[in-house]
Amino acid sequence: MQQNDFIEASPLGKESAYVNEYSPQLLFPIPRNKPWHPKFSKRPFYGIDVWNAFEVSWLNKKGLPQMALAEFRIPADSPNIVESKSFKLYLNSFNQSTMANIAHVQQHMTEDLTAAAGAPVQVTLFNLCEKAMTVLPTPGVNIDEQDIEISTYTPDARLLMVDSSAYRTEILHSHLLKSNCPVTGQPDWATLVVEYEGPSIDQAGLLAYIVSYRDHGDFHEQCVEQIFLDIKAQCKPGQLTVYARYLRRGGLDINPYRSTRPLAPSNHRTERQ
């Protein structure tokens, strides 16, 4: 199946009926290993996609609306991602549904998302009074103040450079990552964090490379994977982690994490989220 076929089947960019009663069939899975993306004989990273939902609601047995925040962790090696509009429509379907308690809602979501992703999905619901998803400063050195001229707005890995004479362990970040939805063309804004150990990465080149995604259309997960693969190939770090914190749309944000190390990321929101 080609990219246009997936786009045609997806609810993105189309009028969708608002369903406010529990409907797991609204979830639309998309294979991660799509024909138009690079294939791996062995996946060269560990990773997870952390989704946060800020508009989760249902009715208790007396008809009183309940509210929660939700965190979803989808493994990066799951067969499928879940298309974001379908995810939002699915969450909306709880709005007028009666649920016994918050644990019941969490159980439904765990089962439904695991079935859609094709791998175990971890779901955590938080009461609004809990201190969940706190905001912390973005880690590392901000590279956005480089005095550079930029004319490339489609991904170009040749912009990435290193100083082989210097070896560093450092964290760099930029608030200037922007890509576009491959279906609607709407902009997706993110803060990108790059943590590495290896030859010193040229900050001006890294910034130019990040900005080169500005006119690029792809899903969040694939953008982060391509950034990881390009830095790994061009800069040859011994250790590498690439983590993007995208801004929310429709009450959902997506935060893909890819790393050479099998570690689970924290879920602290950035200043922009």
Side-chain angles (χ1 to χ4, degrees):
M1 185 180 285
Q2 298 300 309
Q3 184 176 19
N4 287 340
D5 297 324
F6 282 104
I7 291 172
E8 185 62 30
S10 164
L12 265 176
K14 303 183 181 71
E15 284 193 20
S16 302
Y18 177 75
V19 179
N20 60 7
E21 293 186 356
Y22 173 60
S23 301
Q25 64 270 21
L26 290 169
L27 291 169
F28 185 84
I30 298 176
R32 287 186 187 269
N33 292 331
K34 302 189 296 297
W36 60 93
H37 281 117
K39 294 182 174 63
F40 327 107
S41 56
K42 181 180 179 183
R43 211 169 277 274
F45 48 72
Y46 300 94
I48 199 159
D49 301 324
V50 181
W51 296 59
N52 296 314
F54 298 85
E55 300 173 7
V56 178
S57 185
W58 64 95
L59 303 179
N60 69 10
K61 289 187 174 182
K62 294 184 176 181
L64 182 67
Q66 308 294 294
M67 294 292 299
L69 302 176
E71 176 192 278
F72 310 96
R73 290 180 176 249
I74 303 176
D77 60 357
S78 63
N80 306 316
I81 63 174
V82 179
E83 188 276 316
S84 59
K85 182 177 179 181
S86 78
F87 204 139
K88 175 60 179 173
L89 292 172
Y90 165 73
L91 294 178
N92 282 341
S93 78
F94 284 84
N95 289 349
Q96 290 297 116
S97 299
T98 300
M99 296 286 163
N101 49 48
I102 193 169
H104 192 206
V105 177
Q106 185 165 305
Q107 179 182 350
H108 276 305
M109 291 183 176
T110 301
E111 293 173 353
D112 298 339
L113 289 164
T114 293
V121 174
Q122 180 181 345
V123 179
T124 306
L125 298 185
F126 304 95
N127 291 313
L128 299 187
C129 60
E130 295 183 62
K131 293 182 179 179
M133 291 180 272
T134 54
V135 177
L136 291 179
T138 307
V141 176
N142 180 269
I143 63 172
D144 293 341
E145 300 303 317
Q146 307 289 321
D147 185 16
I148 58 175
E149 185 172 327
I150 293 180
S151 59
T152 301
Y153 299 106
T154 54
D156 187 352
R158 295 171 298 179
L159 295 166
L160 293 165
M161 296 175 287
V162 298
D163 178 358
S164 299
S165 66
Y167 193 92
R168 296 189 185 281
T169 299
E170 65 179 346
I171 303 175
L172 306 173
H173 73 257
S174 171
H175 299 298
L176 300 185
L177 177 61
K178 171 191 169 288
S179 55
N180 300 316
C181 172
V183 182
T184 66
Q186 293 184 17
D188 295 317
W189 307 92
T191 292
L192 186 77
V193 179
V194 176
E195 181 176 358
Y196 75 96
E197 178 184 344
S200 179
I201 295 177
D202 178 74
Q203 294 184 13
L206 177 60
L207 179 62
Y209 170 72
I210 292 169
V211 173
S212 76
Y213 277 78
R214 197 167 180 85
D215 276 342
H216 181 60
D218 211 340
F219 296 111
H220 302 59
E221 299 90 339
Q222 276 76 33
C223 286
V224 172
E225 288 184 3
Q226 192 60 60
I227 292 170
F228 177 96
L229 293 171
D230 285 348
I231 294 175
K232 190 171 186 291
Q234 296 292 116
C235 303
K236 296 179 171 53
Q239 299 285 347
L240 175 64
T241 297
V242 176
Y243 192 16
R245 302 287 306 191
Y246 278 87
L247 304 192
R248 77 185 75 163
R249 184 190 294 169
L252 277 173
D253 63 47
I254 308 171
N255 307 280
Y257 174 94
R258 303 293 182 269
S259 181
T260 54
R261 297 176 293 180
L263 302 176
S266 61
N267 187 22
H268 298 297
R269 288 185 286 153
T270 67
E271 304 91 330
R272 303 171 71 199
Q273 292 182 304

